[in-house]
Amino acid sequence: MSAFSSLTNLTQNPNPNKSYEVRCWEIMLSGTNVNAVPKASITHDQPVLCSAWKDDGTTVFSGGCDKQVKMWNLSAGGQPMTVAMHDAPIRALAWIPEMSVLVTGSWDKTIRYWDTRQANPVHTQQLPERCYALTVRHPLMVVGTSDRNLLVYNLTNPQTEFKRIMSPLKYQTRCVAAFPDKQGFLVGSIEGRVGVHHLDDAQQGKNFTFKCHREGNDIYSVNSLDFHPVHGTFATAGSDGAFNFWDKDSKQRLKTCYDWSKGAENHNPATAKTYIFLHLPQEVEVKAKPRVGGTASASTPADPGSTPADPSAHPPLSSEMEFYLGSISGDQLFTRPLSWLFSILL
């Protein structure tokens, strides 16, 4: 990413085909037909790494390699305002409606809390290393850093680190997602693996990790994690071009879907386009199912993620999960309505 640090404006963009934009689309549904209409866009000077909606759906925040967060009020139709700054690229951000503040995480090894009406942060929290991921479900916040630490904060006392956990995954943290009940979180890594972690010491026996987004000897990064707002199941999206629906409580994969896979073989830079795919999940795909039997059947492969998944098959995770026990102490797949969608173009 060092090449980005020298860019200060669009005229210095080394690739004129790249557009560092945040675009807003209106999504219109007619039965099962979906139509997306571009409505507006704003531009950053360098690649955009993160974005978030305000809870009332009127405002978008976006940040990235230009070391600033822009606030874009869609209802007012005005120009974006810079509301946060860091000393290095901003990797993650979230709006916290219970506190009416914006929290940002950066490669400058800090997280900062912002009242968007003020020029300076209301609080700066030092991190042991660069921020790589962040998730908030008030009062729970979890920050993943480049040294694989997972820092847990109780936002009723945001100045104090509540708990520090070394990731159960051996490779770099890519994404985190807090449980809907705020009793734990998921962590995904670049090594095609997800960890399920509970905060309560009495629940440590329920912690486990499992493999996903793998095909043969190819292992892909888990790029995004998000929970379903109704059913409490969750989705993973990976660099294999697949997204999977999972039930952590019954330890089952509910559905595997492919939107893109192995596109590089036929990649033509002259005609290549960036696409956003919308999938309207059926309830059967995302609703939790009771687990049949106590153990995996003999026909269940040792690693369901290692072979192309049959969309009709929903194997239990027992054969692909690894429990981790011990004395450890504590990019928007579902969360927005389909009436609006915004995209980040790098």
Side-chain angles (χ1 to χ4, degrees):
M1 303 302 290
S2 59
F4 295 137
S5 63
S6 63
L7 301 178
T8 56
N9 56 59
L10 287 175
T11 62
Q12 292 178 285
N13 184 350
N15 186 347
N17 294 320
K18 293 286 186 180
S19 177
Y20 306 142
E21 292 186 323
V22 179
R23 295 183 180 177
C24 185
W25 305 74
E26 184 176 6
I27 308 302
M28 294 177 289
L29 302 178
S30 178
T32 58
N33 296 321
V34 181
N35 187 33
V37 178
K39 303 296 288 187
S41 66
I42 62 170
T43 302
H44 280 253
D45 291 342
Q46 296 182 25
V48 183
L49 302 179
C50 53
S51 58
W53 287 91
K54 199 172 182 180
D55 59 305
D56 60 8
T58 64
T59 304
V60 171
F61 300 98
S62 56
C65 292
D66 54 8
K67 309 175 189 177
Q68 62 179 299
V69 172
K70 293 187 177 183
M71 180 176 71
W72 182 22
N73 190 319
L74 300 174
S75 61
Q79 293 299 309
M81 299 171 50
T82 297
V83 294
M85 295 288 294
H86 276 266
D87 300 322
I90 298 169
R91 181 61 185 88
L93 56 82
W95 173 256
I96 309 176
E98 294 85 355
M99 301 169 65
S100 295
V101 299
L102 177 73
V103 61
T104 56
S106 170
W107 293 346
D108 65 7
K109 303 181 184 180
T110 69
I111 53 175
R112 299 179 182 180
Y113 300 87
W114 304 85
D115 179 336
T116 57
R117 299 165 297 180
Q118 301 177 13
N120 296 317
V122 295
H123 176 66
T124 297
Q125 185 77 22
Q126 294 295 320
L127 301 175
E129 253 297 343
R130 292 160 292 169
C131 174
Y132 274 10
L134 180 150
T135 181
V136 177
R137 286 187 187 265
H138 190 273
L140 172 64
M141 181 172 75
V142 182
V143 179
T145 54
S146 62
D147 56 1
R148 296 176 43 245
N149 270 303
L150 298 166
L151 312 180
V152 181
Y153 294 88
N154 182 341
L155 291 175
T156 59
N157 185 18
Q159 295 89 353
T160 303
E161 184 181 308
F162 176 71
K163 197 170 287 190
R164 184 177 299 195
I165 303 162
M166 180 56 66
S167 172
L169 310 180
K170 296 179 181 179
Y171 292 88
Q172 182 187 104
T173 299
R174 191 60 180 266
C175 48
V176 288
F179 292 177
D181 63 6
K182 311 167 190 176
Q183 299 303 304
F185 59 88
L186 308 173
V187 55
S189 78
I190 62 171
E191 190 237 351
R193 201 181 291 261
V194 171
V196 179
H197 187 86
H198 297 76
L199 294 174
D200 188 345
D201 290 343
Q203 301 294 315
Q204 296 305 295
K206 295 183 178 180
N207 296 342
F208 65 96
T209 71
F210 64 92
K211 301 173 184 177
C212 54
H213 299 287
R214 299 176 178 219
E215 185 176 346
N217 293 324
D218 295 328
I219 300 174
Y220 299 92
S221 172
V222 180
N223 295 326
S224 184
L225 296 161
D226 208 354
F227 280 93
H228 193 282
V230 175
H231 299 300
T233 54
F234 68 94
T236 62
S239 290
D240 56 349
F243 58 94
N244 299 326
F245 300 132
W246 309 86
D247 179 4
K248 67 177 178 61
D249 297 322
S250 63
K251 301 183 177 68
Q252 294 185 86
R253 180 170 55 200
L254 303 174
K255 182 78 172 179
T256 296
C257 304
Y258 282 86
D259 273 347
W260 176 92
S261 182
K262 304 268 184 173
E265 290 92 316
N266 300 309
H267 178 65
N268 183 349
T271 60
K273 294 183 179 180
T274 300
Y275 292 98
I276 296 174
F277 292 89
L278 294 179
H279 176 73
L280 303 181
Q282 303 300 309
E283 187 172 86
V284 68
E285 297 176 341
V286 296
K287 188 175 182 179
K289 297 181 177 69
R291 185 173 171 183
V292 179
T295 59
S297 66
S299 61
T300 302
D303 181 2
S306 66
T307 56
D310 177 0
S312 64
H314 314 303
L317 291 177
S318 57
S319 59
E320 62 182 273
M321 69 184 176
E322 302 169 357
F323 286 93
Y324 63 96
L325 306 175
S327 58
I328 302 175
S329 299
D331 204 210
Q332 308 278 335
L333 298 178
F334 290 123
T335 55
R336 299 308 308 173
L338 276 177
S339 57
W340 289 95
L341 172 74
F342 68 92
S343 62
I344 296 175
L345 301 182
L346 300 182

